[in-house]
């Protein structure tokens, strides 16, 4: 008996080492994705494809989607297949569904038989018609102001075992830090782009004010009020009104800016 116990223990250790090795390889792979894809949409698509591979079995293929909700930014989503993407987008349009429920609750949600669940009446009929039998939703924790959820879709009823849930949860935990890095990099790029756009708008408005002052012999405040009045009366953005003035005077659609790079 002791010999059998030692052999069992040795077997468990070897299996644990295999799992740790796979997790280490996946962690390296996910960090490489962050470096490889500057576009967060491309990163999420690659992440969803890897998630689908890790959450599937040879006899039970599953598809995955990832939804990211950010503060004061449009939501982001990607999927390993077009049907999975359609399921994610359907939930986002309805503003409710199993995956968004898991996201709000901050804990995994397993629906083993979608047809027997009475929640989300706007979502379930379409999901069933698309061939979804069961859903596993696992929140990710990027540790910033964003929230994210990994959506795993099976075409089978009772398509997830306890081991499947454990594997998906472990992958979601592993993917959370690379996702956080990708979102931080994206936030910095978006902030840079917003600043560039703001400076470009300011340059255009200042040039338009100068042109109006020169043409009408008015003060800077009067020229600015003229632009604001034109913007309000036409229901056009102030920058677009200013760009029209600049184009009329100089023939240039937008002024050159030395901060473009």
């Amino acid at each position: 008996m002791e010999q059998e116990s030692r052999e069992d223990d040795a077997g468990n250790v070897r299996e644990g080492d295999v799992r740790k090795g796979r997790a280490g390889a996946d962690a390296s792979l996910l960090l490489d994705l962050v470096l490889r894809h500057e576009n967060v949409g491309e990163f999420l698509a690659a992440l969803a494809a890897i998630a689908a591979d890790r959450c599937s079995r040879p006899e039970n293929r599953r598809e995955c989607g990832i939804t990211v909700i950010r503060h004061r930014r449009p939501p982001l989503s990607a999927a390993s297949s077009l049907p999975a993407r359609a399921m994610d987008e359907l939930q986002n349009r309805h503003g409710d569904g199993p995956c968004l429920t898991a996201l709000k609750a901050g804990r995994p949600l397993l629906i083993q038989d979608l047809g027997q669940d009475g929640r989300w009446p706007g979502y379930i009929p379409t999901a069933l018609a698309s061939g979804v039998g069961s859903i596993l939703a696992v929140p990710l924790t990027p540790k910033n102001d964003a929230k994210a959820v990994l959506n795993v879709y099976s075409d089978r009823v009772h398509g997830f075992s306890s081991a499947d849930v454990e594997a998906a949860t472990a992958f979601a935990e592993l993917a959370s830090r690379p996702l956080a890095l990708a979102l931080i990099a994206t936030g910095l790029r978006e902030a840079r782009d917003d600043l560039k756009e703001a400076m470009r708008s300011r340059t255009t408005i200042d040039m338009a004010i100068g042109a109006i002052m020169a043409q009408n012999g008015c003060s800077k405040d009067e020229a600015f009020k003229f632009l604001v009045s034109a913007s309000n009366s036409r229901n056009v953005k102030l920058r677009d009104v200013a760009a029209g003035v600049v184009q009329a005077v100089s023939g240039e659609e937008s002024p050159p800016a030395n901060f473009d790079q």
Side-chain angles (χ1 to χ4, degrees):
M1 291 293 293
E2 292 182 1
Q3 179 64 29
E4 291 177 359
S5 177
R6 283 196 295 272
E7 289 176 354
D8 289 343
D9 289 344
N12 288 334
V13 169
R14 286 195 292 271
E15 184 180 351
D17 288 344
V18 169
R19 287 197 299 267
K20 289 180 181 179
R22 186 180 298 121
D26 281 346
S28 178
L29 174 62
L30 296 180
L31 288 175
D32 285 343
L33 287 183
V34 178
L35 298 175
R36 192 181 312 152
H37 298 291
E38 285 193 7
N39 183 291
V40 68
E42 294 176 357
F43 167 80
L44 289 176
L47 181 61
I50 294 172
D53 181 69
R54 299 301 185 268
C55 293
S56 294
R57 295 181 181 274
E59 72 284 0
N60 188 357
R61 173 67 185 179
R62 294 155 185 145
E63 300 298 341
C64 290
I66 297 174
T67 297
V68 181
I69 307 297
R70 303 180 296 166
H71 182 60
R72 294 183 179 178
R73 293 286 184 182
L76 302 168
S77 63
S80 61
S81 68
L82 290 177
R85 184 177 184 88
M87 289 299 95
D88 281 7
E89 291 177 347
L90 178 64
Q91 290 193 74
N92 292 333
R93 285 198 303 272
H94 282 281
D96 200 10
C99 300
L100 292 180
T101 298
L103 183 64
K104 294 172 185 176
R107 59 178 180 271
L109 177 62
L110 175 61
I111 311 296
Q112 287 283 34
D113 188 347
L114 197 61
Q116 297 301 314
D117 199 301
R119 295 171 287 180
W120 320 295
Y123 170 79
I124 287 180
T126 303
L128 290 173
S130 300
V132 178
S134 51
I135 297 176
L136 172 62
V138 184
L140 293 91
T141 53
K143 302 297 184 183
N144 50 29
D145 62 355
K147 294 183 178 181
V149 61
L150 170 65
N151 313 315
V152 190
Y153 300 98
S154 174
D155 59 2
R156 302 181 181 186
V157 174
H158 295 280
F160 299 94
S161 67
S162 58
D164 295 330
V165 175
E166 181 181 348
T169 303
F171 183 84
E173 182 178 354
L174 188 68
S176 292
R177 294 181 69 183
L179 175 60
L181 291 176
L183 291 176
I184 289 171
T186 296
L188 291 174
R189 282 191 288 270
E190 289 176 340
R192 177 202 62 192
D193 293 342
D194 288 348
L195 179 59
K196 286 169 60 176
E197 182 59 29
M199 294 180 69
R200 187 177 292 111
S201 296
R202 184 64 190 180
T203 299
T204 302
I205 292 170
D206 285 345
M207 292 181 68
I209 288 174
I212 294 171
M213 291 172 63
Q215 288 182 335
N216 296 278
C218 61
S219 68
K220 182 176 181 180
D221 287 344
E222 290 171 334
F224 181 70
K225 289 179 181 179
F226 174 82
L227 285 177
V228 171
S229 176
S231 173
N232 292 336
S233 63
R234 301 176 191 174
N235 195 26
V236 176
K237 290 182 179 180
L238 183 63
R239 181 189 183 278
D240 293 337
V241 173
V245 173
V246 172
Q247 185 177 14
V249 173
S250 66
E252 295 182 357
E253 186 171 346
S254 60
N258 59 10
F259 45 80
D260 280 343
Q261 299 298 324

